[in-house]
């Protein structure tokens, strides 16, 4: 997993986390922060985990690759998502 805490400085350290198939349930509520690949925060939203792609469409993000910091009550993830 990636640790986005120093993303604004261009540093993305890899951290070890316990492996699991999916630590966040599809219907669980999450809070997301979206970053461009150069570390600029470009969106924030809350939704269900399985609705993240729809929320990104609603945010009207331009085509590109984004890093998402996803927080739930049980876990924190960083995922890469592509908007086409």
């Amino acid at each position: 997993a990636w640790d986005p805490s120093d993303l604004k400085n261009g540093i993305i350290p890899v951290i070890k986390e316990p492996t699991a198939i999916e630590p966040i349930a599809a219907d669980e509520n999450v809070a997301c922060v979206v970053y461009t690949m150069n570390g600029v925060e470009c969106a924030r939203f809350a939704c269900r985990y399985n609705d993240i792609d729809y929320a990104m469409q609603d945010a009207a993000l331009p085509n590109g690759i984004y890093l998402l910091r996803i927080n739930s009550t049980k876990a924190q993830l960083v995922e890469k998502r592509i908007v086409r």
Side-chain angles (χ1 to χ4, degrees):
W2 295 326
D3 176 6
S5 60
D6 207 15
L7 191 61
K8 292 180 181 178
N9 295 322
I11 300 170
I12 307 174
V14 177
I15 57 174
K16 276 192 163 185
E17 291 184 347
T19 57
I21 294 174
E22 200 61 59
I24 300 175
D27 62 347
E28 189 171 343
N29 290 325
V30 294
C32 298
V33 182
V34 182
Y35 298 94
T36 62
M37 289 303 290
N38 60 353
V40 177
E41 182 181 320
C42 56
R44 285 178 178 257
F45 52 81
C47 63
R48 293 185 316 170
Y49 182 71
N50 61 344
D51 291 333
I52 289 175
D53 290 331
Y54 298 117
M56 289 181 71
Q57 287 176 355
D58 290 344
L61 298 170
N63 291 350
I65 301 171
Y66 297 90
L67 293 177
L68 280 76
R69 185 172 48 194
I70 304 167
N71 291 305
S72 76
T73 56
K74 298 178 184 174
Q76 180 178 3
L77 300 174
V78 176
E79 293 183 355
K80 178 178 74 172
R81 299 273 177 130
I82 299 172
V83 173
R84 296 179 192 204

